[in-house]
Amino acid sequence: MPKIVADRIDWIKLGFILFAKDGISGIVVDKMANKLKCNRSSFYWHFDSKEKFIDKILTYWIETDTNQIIEQTQKMSTAEEKFKVLIAITFKSDPNIDFIFHLKRYAIRRKDIQKTIDEIDEQRISFVSSMLEDLGYSEGEALTKAKIFYKYLIGYHEMIKYKKQHKNYVADVYHELKHFINI
């Protein structure tokens, strides 16, 4: 017999994975309830609607893919160590990399989500820019290089998507980054 209520975070984590895989069409309450071995009413116990559920998934993505990365990076004491940690974390293969692709498609009908995506992009670029300033670049140079870095990161993930990542990916990334950032 299924349990009646699954934990809120279990719904959110499963929703994140399914959204990354299939976008909004992957968010089917009955199928998720089956995977969580609970009643579908558990979903509505935690979330008023699918739209509110997507908002919670978005918050989860921001926390795990932006805030936690910034926090881990900030634990390092030197600018060089921070940059190395950032590279190791952000360039690592991500099985849920299509989340942002599906989120951007969904944002076509939800302008508030597009605004959040734009804000996260700006936060990430600003964070990298401040790190580059700490490495000695001027404010203008750091911002330009941060934008290039971010676009390179996105392109990198597109190129390795669905492939096994090379064991020495960090060395490969460093080799390529050295063409526009002195690290």
Side-chain angles (χ1 to χ4, degrees):
M1 180 167 164
K3 59 185 176 181
I4 295 173
V5 178
D7 291 333
R8 179 182 186 93
I9 192 65
D10 293 335
W11 282 103
I12 293 169
K13 286 179 178 179
L14 177 60
F16 175 77
I17 292 166
L18 295 174
F19 193 92
K21 185 175 180 272
D22 296 318
I24 192 65
S25 65
I27 306 301
V28 178
V29 175
D30 287 332
K31 289 181 182 180
M32 291 189 303
N34 285 337
K35 285 186 184 266
L36 292 172
K37 297 181 172 73
C38 69
N39 293 333
R40 76 186 309 273
S41 62
S42 170
F43 178 87
Y44 297 102
W45 174 262
H46 295 294
F47 313 100
D48 294 336
S49 64
K50 267 186 166 181
E51 188 173 278
K52 298 280 187 201
F53 180 60
I54 298 298
D55 293 344
K56 295 300 179 191
I57 293 171
L58 178 61
T59 300
Y60 176 80
W61 169 71
I62 292 167
E63 179 58 31
T64 58
D65 282 10
T66 300
N67 297 346
Q68 286 182 11
I69 292 170
I70 290 172
E71 287 172 19
Q72 288 176 327
T73 304
Q74 293 292 49
K75 290 178 183 176
M76 301 297 109
S77 53
T78 68
E80 291 81 9
E81 289 172 338
K82 289 177 183 180
F83 205 73
K84 285 180 183 180
V85 167
L86 179 68
I87 289 169
I89 295 170
T90 58
F91 284 87
K92 185 175 183 177
S93 182
D94 181 355
N96 299 311
I97 196 68
D98 281 342
F99 178 83
I100 188 65
F101 167 78
H102 290 296
L103 188 64
K104 286 183 178 195
R105 289 191 64 170
Y106 182 68
I108 292 169
R109 60 178 138 165
R110 293 248 339 249
K111 299 303 177 197
D112 60 319
I113 289 181
Q114 184 58 59
K115 183 176 183 259
T116 301
I117 292 168
D118 293 343
E119 289 169 355
I120 292 301
D121 285 345
E122 287 303 314
Q123 179 186 6
R124 291 172 174 184
I125 290 167
S126 177
F127 178 70
V128 173
S129 181
S130 70
M131 290 178 68
L132 292 172
E133 284 182 52
D134 290 345
L135 286 169
Y137 289 100
S138 70
E139 185 178 337
E141 250 187 329
L143 181 58
T144 300
K145 289 180 182 293
K147 288 177 181 178
I148 294 168
F149 175 89
Y150 193 57
K151 291 170 185 174
Y152 169 73
L153 173 65
I154 293 166
Y156 175 87
H157 280 289
E158 278 300 309
M159 290 186 72
I160 68 162
K161 190 173 12 179
Y162 314 125
K163 296 178 184 176
K164 183 174 168 65
Q165 189 174 33
H166 188 271
K167 186 175 127 182
N168 296 321
Y169 74 95
V170 172
D172 293 343
V173 168
Y174 267 103
H175 174 73
E176 292 170 358
L177 286 176
K178 285 182 180 179
H179 291 282
F180 65 96
I181 297 174
N182 293 325
I183 46 176

